[in-house]
Amino acid sequence: MPFMMMTCVKTGKAVSTGHTSESKSFAGIAASGNKSRCSACGGTHMWNKADTWPATEAPDPVLLRVARVKPR
Ligand SMILES: [Zn+2]
């Protein structure tokens, strides 16, 4: 279940949106205007679904702890 990633506009790094590609929350969220806390710069960024992509590598454990989605 890969995390959906976005690009930090300040650092250019790939960071997790906090959503996984298979989570119901990701399927149900808006196509644009979403906000996520950025683990790279500490800010909050707006992102659109079209700008995200599934992470192919295991997410940073720190990100996982912050972004863990409860199964039910
Ligand atoms: Zn950032």
Side-chain angles (χ1 to χ4, degrees), residues 8-11 15 38-43 45:
C8 170
V9 293
K10 285 191 181 173
T11 67
V15 295
C38 177
S39 61
C41 72
H45 300 315

Side-chain angles (χ1 to χ4, degrees), residues 25-61:
S25 63
F26 189 77
I29 59 176
S32 61
N34 300 291
K35 285 184 193 175
S36 285
R37 180 100 179 265
C38 177
S39 61
C41 72
T44 301
H45 300 315
M46 302 285 291
W47 54 272
N48 301 327
K49 262 186 179 177
D51 299 330
T52 64
W53 69 95
T56 53
E57 296 175 13
D60 187 310

